[in-house]
Amino acid sequence: MEWIRSITFPTLLISSLCFFLLIAIASSDEVEDETVFTYIEGTGKGPKEWGQLDPHWKLCETGKFQSPIDVPNGKLRVVPSLGKLKKNYKPVPAVLKNRGHDIKIRWDGDAGKITVNGTDYKLIQCHWHSPSEHTFNGTRYQMELHMVHRSASGEMAVISVFYKYGRPDPFLTKLFHDIKTVGEEEENLGIINPRDIKFNGRKYFRYIGSLTVPPCTEGVVWTLIQKGFETNIRPTQPLDGRTVLFYAP
């Protein structure tokens, strides 16, 4: 199966130069309880220990297709036959939640979808990592947004947007006060339009990876499209012979 991601130049709260857009496909949800794992090494619950904390998380330690990775310039294969990402989002009510390890927006209702390789994935939620989890030739961005989608059969597609410091992003500017003040309880945001998260692009990268939090489910297809704080990031994982594909029309 072939899947698509795109990268563009959004106007971001902390980014405007360029960003990458990734899509991931997976069959297992991320763990939300921050008390059972951490991103801090030396605590006994950091990324190197994730695979030992729960039998269902073994892939975090033994998996050979783990994410995130550093995307290299020198190990790309050009594939001109890949398609475009199709998206159709709708404004619906949403809530904001502080999960401890990140901030999440959950849409309550039909917020629209993306279509990847003929399969529809409905938008469920988005959340942020700071700094970015993936790196590009060793460069890490200031923040990474994941837009999480789910298909009718339970597979997930995640679009990730990478931010640099720059001009204000309208989407984050609108939510800045709520994000800054959210407590332990969910906060109603009213109508939130996912189309305010701007991304587009005609060139992209692709590789096979995993969820970046436990249970580290593999079989995730990441596609990166390019045009142009307490840390909550998992260290990049070895490629282990994987090939990163690149598309340009």
Side-chain angles (χ1 to χ4, degrees):
M1 300 175 70
E2 293 194 341
W3 309 90
I4 305 167
R5 311 290 185 275
S6 74
I7 300 173
T8 66
F9 281 104
T11 304
L12 305 169
L13 174 66
I14 56 174
S15 160
S16 64
L17 297 181
C18 71
F19 75 90
F20 298 85
L21 167 64
L22 306 90
I23 294 180
I25 310 300
S27 58
S28 297
D29 289 339
E30 301 175 343
V31 173
E32 292 204 4
D33 184 1
E34 68 163 327
T35 63
V36 295
F37 73 95
T38 181
Y39 292 92
I40 303 173
E41 298 291 6
T43 61
K45 298 190 295 183
K48 292 181 180 179
E49 288 80 34
W50 286 355
Q52 304 169 23
L53 298 177
D54 188 305
H56 298 97
W57 300 358
K58 195 65 177 177
L59 279 176
C60 298
E61 182 177 23
T62 63
K64 297 298 183 181
F65 294 86
Q66 290 292 291
S67 297
I69 64 168
D70 178 61
V71 179
N73 269 342
K75 295 183 178 180
L76 303 177
R77 180 160 58 90
V78 177
V79 180
S81 61
L82 302 179
K84 293 183 64 177
L85 174 65
K86 299 178 181 179
K87 60 184 186 295
N88 182 19
Y89 293 132
K90 307 173 185 178
V92 293
V95 297
L96 185 69
K97 181 178 181 180
N98 184 347
R99 297 193 291 184
H101 61 278
D102 63 25
I103 300 294
K104 180 180 79 170
I105 294 176
R106 186 187 74 243
W107 279 273
D108 291 337
D110 183 6
K113 64 184 180 180
I114 58 173
T115 302
V116 182
N117 198 38
T119 299
D120 292 338
Y121 296 83
K122 291 187 176 181
L123 178 62
I124 305 298
Q125 55 106 333
C126 72
H127 60 271
W128 289 265
H129 293 265
S130 180
S132 71
E133 295 196 299
H134 289 82
T135 60
F136 301 86
N137 295 306
T139 299
R140 196 180 297 279
Y141 290 83
Q142 276 69 42
M143 191 163 69
E144 179 176 346
L145 169 66
H146 291 174
M147 298 179 69
V148 181
H149 307 69
R150 182 179 290 113
S151 72
S153 61
E155 293 180 321
M156 293 196 304
V158 182
I159 297 175
S160 295
V161 180
F162 290 76
Y163 298 80
K164 276 188 173 182
Y165 291 114
R167 293 173 294 172
D169 169 51
F171 182 70
L172 284 175
T173 299
K174 179 180 179 180
L175 298 171
F176 181 75
H177 176 74
D178 297 294
I179 292 174
K180 184 178 179 180
T181 60
V182 64
E184 296 182 359
E185 301 297 325
E186 291 185 350
E187 178 180 335
N188 290 321
L189 295 175
I191 302 297
I192 297 295
N193 191 348
R195 287 178 291 186
D196 290 339
I197 305 174
K198 305 299 183 183
F199 59 87
N200 198 356
R202 300 179 61 194
K203 299 180 181 181
Y204 55 83
F205 303 89
R206 176 182 294 161
Y207 80 98
I208 305 299
S210 73
L211 296 178
T212 64
V213 298
C216 305
T217 306
E218 295 187 334
V220 176
V221 181
W222 293 91
T223 304
L224 297 72
I225 304 174
Q226 181 183 19
K227 184 179 179 180
F229 1 90
E230 179 179 339
T231 298
N232 65 335
I233 56 170
R234 187 187 187 192
T236 56
Q237 305 296 301
L239 281 174
D240 284 317
R242 287 176 285 175
T243 299
V244 179
L245 307 181
F246 177 70
Y247 169 77

